[in-house]
Amino acid sequence: KNPLGSMELFLSMLSNGKLKKNEKKKYVDYVQYGVKTIDRIINNILSYTRPKTLVIRPGNISEIVKDTLDFMSISIMSRNIGVNFSCFYEGLSCFEHDMMKLVIMNFISNSIEAIQKEGFINIEIKEDGRHVVVVVSDTGTGISEEVRRNIFNPFFTTKDKGVGLGLYIVYNI
């Protein structure tokens, strides 16, 4: 449901008729990106019943994070949340681009929901030996040890309207 929330915000901004032409195109592009993201999410869920061929290719992980932050910017700003983004690795890495966008989107969405009133989401990209590490943290309420043990289990959720598949999908990716 994360992309739907962003798409709803973009569509409401488009419908108010107060946007400049270049802003309208940007928001339409965001809605199209959201539709494609939802399609990928549904296909990913369905793919758990059949094998999936990954398309792993070189890319810059910071570009994936920036694109995802840009897509989610209205949701972030509407909650008075700031973002601190630090990138200490600009090289190329090999990964499945669509899946990585889904991972980053899930982590950012969870951070948004964890922050009660206002706060910060911190994202750091760094090199750790042969690996590139993306660290997403926030100033939210935190996770108890009991919840932490279960967060990657399917259908486990602490949210009233959650279904418990977000972090399960992230874990599988």
Side-chain angles (χ1 to χ4, degrees):
K1 288 177 55 178
N2 299 332
L4 285 175
S6 295
M7 290 167 51
E8 181 181 26
L9 281 168
F10 293 133
L11 289 172
S12 69
M13 293 178 80
L14 283 167
S15 69
N16 77 15
K18 298 178 184 177
L19 298 173
K20 298 174 186 166
K21 187 175 183 175
N22 63 334
E23 289 176 319
K24 287 180 183 179
K25 175 161 180 14
K26 183 178 178 181
Y27 289 154
V28 167
D29 290 344
Y30 284 152
V31 172
Q32 288 175 331
Y33 176 79
V35 169
K36 290 177 185 175
T37 300
I38 290 169
D39 183 57
R40 282 192 305 269
I41 290 169
I42 291 169
N43 285 327
N44 290 336
I45 290 170
L46 294 175
S47 73
Y48 286 113
T49 61
R50 60 186 183 271
K52 178 173 175 22
T53 303
L54 296 177
V55 180
I56 296 175
R57 57 189 168 90
N60 187 316
I61 192 71
S62 68
E63 291 301 318
I64 298 291
V65 172
K66 288 175 192 172
D67 288 348
T68 306
L69 281 170
D70 201 27
F71 175 69
M72 299 182 77
S73 62
I74 300 297
S75 297
I76 293 169
M77 289 186 299
S78 70
R79 297 276 308 272
N80 291 321
I81 297 172
V83 175
N84 297 315
F85 177 57
S86 303
C87 184
F88 302 104
Y89 180 79
E90 286 292 343
L92 295 179
S93 304
C94 291
F95 54 91
E96 216 292 344
H97 291 225
D98 291 336
M99 296 289 185
M100 190 56 65
K101 284 180 186 175
L102 184 58
V103 167
I104 301 300
M105 188 178 295
N106 268 290
F107 282 135
I108 292 171
S109 294
N110 282 357
S111 288
I112 290 170
E113 292 175 13
I115 297 171
Q116 298 296 317
K117 295 186 187 219
E118 58 184 48
F120 286 92
I121 298 171
N122 303 299
I123 302 173
E124 180 181 37
I125 300 173
K126 59 187 176 182
E127 192 173 4
D128 184 14
R130 292 183 32 200
H131 299 93
V132 176
V133 178
V134 179
V135 178
V136 180
S137 60
D138 58 65
T139 58
T141 56
I143 303 172
S144 71
E145 186 56 40
E146 180 181 338
V147 170
R148 191 180 311 225
R149 284 193 298 267
N150 292 295
I151 59 174
F152 295 112
N153 293 336
F155 305 108
F156 176 82
T157 185
T158 59
K159 301 172 190 171
D160 292 337
K161 296 182 181 180
V163 293
L165 288 175
L167 290 178
Y168 173 72
I169 291 170
V170 164
Y171 179 80
N172 282 290
I173 292 170

